[in-house]
Amino acid sequence: MIAMIFVRDMWLAAPLLVQWLGRRRVIVAASLLSGLGVLLMAFGVRLELVLAAAVLRAGLFNLALPVYRAMVVDAAPREEHTIVSLVLSTSENVGPIAAPPLSGRAQGIVGYAPVFSVAAALYGVGALAFVWAARWAAQRVKTAPNTASNRSTG
């Protein structure tokens, strides 16, 4: 019960962490810690550690998602907010729909640990891609003419 409350309410810590670390760092840290949690789930030998890792990963997702959404929407021109929100919502729903059958099939072929190891590696790749894209976008904004749509993404 306490774990469910933690996971559900983890997003409440987001404003404090964003003030302390900034949006990008919160998103990258949550992604890397989630990847670590997935690795613990893959190779955990104690049920308590695996459960703690699962709860932590779910809580970090609930913390990072609204931060990411706010950053993306803030960076988009106002007239594109509807489209951006649609793309974000669609992408957030594809994973939970597509992942279970694909993961289940892969686990049946190669086992549990390799599939979760790949997932953990993809968390790291995603964090690196995010850092690269954020730097690329910041450079682009610096070199673009000063317009209302060129706002900082934090």
Side-chain angles (χ1 to χ4, degrees):
M1 180 69 157
I2 292 172
M4 289 177 14
I5 293 169
F6 169 79
V7 168
R8 185 196 70 199
D9 294 340
M10 185 71 168
W11 66 272
L12 293 170
L16 294 172
L17 289 173
V18 166
Q19 282 182 345
W20 184 43
L21 297 171
R23 287 178 175 174
R24 291 183 188 137
R25 287 187 180 131
V26 167
I27 293 166
V28 170
S31 180
L32 294 174
L33 288 171
S34 291
L36 182 62
V38 170
L39 273 178
L40 280 172
M41 287 188 277
F43 297 105
V45 293
R46 294 187 54 145
L47 181 60
E48 300 86 10
L49 289 176
V50 172
L51 291 174
V55 168
L56 178 65
R57 199 212 62 74
L60 288 168
F61 178 80
N62 286 347
L63 179 139
L65 184 60
V67 175
Y68 180 74
R69 279 183 145 274
M71 192 177 86
V72 170
V73 170
D74 283 352
R78 188 166 188 78
E79 62 274 6
E80 294 178 13
H81 282 190
T82 304
I83 272 291
V84 168
S85 189
L86 174 70
V87 169
L88 285 171
S89 295
T90 301
S91 66
E92 291 164 14
N93 290 309
V94 167
I97 293 169
L102 295 174
S103 176
R105 180 75 175 133
Q107 287 175 38
I109 296 169
V110 297
Y112 187 77
V115 171
F116 273 65
S117 297
V118 168
L122 289 174
Y123 272 101
V125 168
L128 290 174
F130 177 79
V131 168
W132 174 82
R135 287 185 179 162
W136 176 80
Q139 274 303 112
R140 202 167 145 243
V141 168
K142 284 181 186 176
T143 59
N146 192 12
T147 64
S149 65
N150 290 336
R151 292 178 275 175
S152 174
T153 58

